[in-house]
Amino acid sequence: MITEARGPRESQQPHSTGYEQLLEMVRYEGAYPTRERADEAVRLVLAGLGRQLTGDERVDLARCLPLEAARILTAQIPGPQPLTGWDFAKDIATRSGASLATTRWDIGSVFTAVSAQAGPLLITRILHQLPTGWALLFGQADLTPAA
């Protein structure tokens, strides 16, 4: 019997070293029991961020991330109106079927690792582009100017 030799499907291909390092950072930050659980969080949160982020900040962030993570981010079409940080967390929770507490944990774990790769200057630019509430998701104070 002759069978066609096929390589693994894209979802089964081994990840690059950079993506593996990102997963390990997220796994450590989130205290996830497995790399697969960290991968789920990364995919969910980066896809959500990809639906919010536009312009140079989106491009620059993609450049900072490993190729697999950049693809997850840039495969999404940004929505017409960016969500507040709270609405973003609710959207991710709805899409995943997880509780808001679990979702908030996932977001914080992924954004901590993303911040380490992107650096403070790019994260500041990203936060200036997005509505209120996002700084808290990135583990920063959400300072608003006095009226």
Side-chain angles (χ1 to χ4, degrees):
M1 176 175 180
I2 298 175
T3 60
E4 181 180 337
R6 292 184 181 196
R9 292 186 314 196
E10 184 173 323
S11 63
Q12 295 174 334
Q13 290 179 351
H15 301 298
S16 71
T17 303
Y19 190 71
E20 289 294 329
Q21 290 172 342
L22 177 67
L23 289 182
E24 280 305 312
M25 289 174 68
V26 172
R27 183 177 176 192
Y28 177 80
E29 288 298 326
Y32 297 116
T34 64
R35 186 173 290 171
E36 289 75 21
R37 178 62 185 94
D39 186 51
E40 290 172 16
V42 167
R43 290 178 183 284
L44 184 67
V45 173
L46 285 182
L49 183 59
R51 290 188 294 275
Q52 302 303 307
L53 202 54
T54 62
D56 290 341
E57 289 74 19
R58 177 183 173 103
V59 172
D60 292 345
L61 180 58
R63 285 185 187 143
C64 294
L65 298 173
L67 182 59
E68 293 90 335
R71 284 181 179 159
I72 296 165
L73 177 81
T74 59
Q76 304 301 311
I77 298 171
Q81 190 73 0
L83 301 173
T84 65
W86 175 244
D87 288 334
F88 174 76
K90 290 191 298 187
D91 179 61
I92 298 295
T94 299
R95 289 173 188 270
S96 69
S99 70
L100 276 171
T102 299
T103 301
R104 178 61 184 90
W105 186 268
D106 289 346
I107 292 168
S109 300
V110 173
F111 283 175
T112 297
V114 166
S115 294
Q117 297 212 337
L121 295 177
L122 179 54
I123 296 302
T124 299
R125 287 177 37 217
I126 289 170
L127 291 176
H128 282 136
Q129 183 189 100
L130 296 168
T132 61
W134 281 83
L136 294 173
L137 297 177
F138 279 91
Q140 298 183 16
D142 196 4
L143 304 175
T144 55

